[in-house]
Amino acid sequence: MKKNLLLFIAFFLTTTSAIKAQTIGPAQQRLLDSLCKELSKIDVAKISTKQAANDAFEKCFENHADLLLDVAKEQNVEVTDEPAMSKVGVEIGKNLMKQKCGSFMQLAMKMGKDDDAEDTGTQVTTGVFKRIDTKGFNYIVITDKAASEKSFIWLRQFPGSEKFMDAPPAKLAGKKLQITWKDMEVYLPQAKGYYTVKEIVSIDIL
């Protein structure tokens, strides 16, 4: 089932072919209503990567797998028939759009975009704010689930930087941060050598 979900999600996002409109049956309408209701509970603004968007949509779909089975039965489709299930998925996605499910439309835009992480080598790390170190440049330090400290250099303005410019560390203590960063090789005079640091690209406070 999960493989089928991934297949038709990918197919929906990449297809450009026109699909003949079909009458929405009762089972599919129940699924559409349930999906849209659950998707509306997701804070899409906090989803910053294509993978996170895909995961959120996939989880939502899996939570309603029983309704998807009803749709397959309604359309006389075997769930083991991957091409047929892909078409069902495309139809569901198009109907969510057609019925103006706003949360799905926002999520679909992020699911279909080219991820910065894929294009520019950026990565994402989540942790709890610990402190800001000043060593020529500011370094934002967070702790991960294992309580290990991770340091990220603040070299230039980035989305969210204004929240850290004047805020006292005590106000940020305990805040969960999602840091998008990329490796950068810099020369450190005090160390007399080149070292790779993690440059901050953006920060979201979760």
Side-chain angles (χ1 to χ4, degrees):
M1 175 63 68
K2 185 173 182 178
K3 184 178 179 182
N4 286 334
L5 285 172
L6 292 173
L7 279 171
F8 69 62
I9 288 171
F11 188 73
F12 166 68
L13 292 171
T14 57
T15 186
T16 57
S17 59
I19 295 180
K20 185 177 180 180
Q22 296 182 8
T23 301
I24 298 175
Q28 184 178 159
Q29 189 59 59
R30 286 195 298 272
L31 176 58
L32 293 172
D33 292 341
S34 297
L35 286 174
C36 193
K37 182 177 179 179
E38 184 165 341
L39 287 168
S40 68
K41 298 176 183 177
I42 298 173
D43 189 347
V44 180
K46 291 183 178 179
I47 296 179
S48 58
T49 66
K50 178 177 181 177
Q51 185 59 52
N54 283 334
D55 290 345
F57 185 62
E58 179 186 333
K59 182 179 179 181
C60 183
F61 234 122
E62 288 181 341
N63 288 342
H64 298 285
D66 56 332
L67 295 178
L68 180 60
L69 292 175
D70 290 341
V71 174
K73 183 178 180 180
E74 182 176 69
Q75 298 190 12
N76 295 316
V77 172
E78 292 291 337
V79 293
T80 55
D81 187 341
E82 293 180 358
M85 287 299 292
S86 292
K87 291 181 180 180
V88 172
V90 173
E91 182 183 328
I92 290 170
K94 286 185 176 292
N95 284 332
L96 283 169
M97 288 282 193
K98 184 178 179 181
Q99 295 187 6
K100 294 180 170 49
C101 178
S103 50
F104 172 73
M105 294 169 74
Q106 294 176 42
L107 196 62
M109 289 179 64
K110 296 192 176 187
M111 291 166 66
K113 74 175 184 178
D114 290 330
D115 232 355
D116 289 340
E118 296 173 357
D119 296 336
T120 64
T122 59
Q123 300 183 56
V124 176
T125 299
T126 301
V128 177
F129 176 83
K130 182 74 173 180
R131 64 180 183 275
I132 296 179
D133 290 336
T134 302
K135 303 174 183 177
F137 292 97
N138 282 348
Y139 291 80
I140 293 180
V141 182
I142 63 174
T143 55
D144 60 17
K145 292 182 179 179
S148 299
E149 291 189 356
K150 297 185 182 298
S151 180
F152 304 84
I153 189 170
W154 179 353
L155 282 179
R156 65 193 100 192
Q157 184 178 19
F158 59 83
S161 61
E162 68 281 352
K163 298 175 184 177
F164 298 87
M165 292 177 66
D166 301 315
K171 186 176 180 180
L172 297 169
K175 296 287 187 181
K176 189 174 182 181
L177 307 181
Q178 180 175 278
I179 301 179
T180 302
W181 55 275
K182 62 181 178 181
D183 283 329
M184 171 177 284
E185 191 176 71
V186 297
Y187 179 73
L188 300 179
Q190 64 272 32
K192 296 182 180 180
Y194 287 92
Y195 291 86
T196 299
V197 296
K198 296 179 175 64
E199 183 194 0
I200 298 170
V201 174
S202 67
I203 296 182
D204 294 312
I205 299 177
L206 305 179

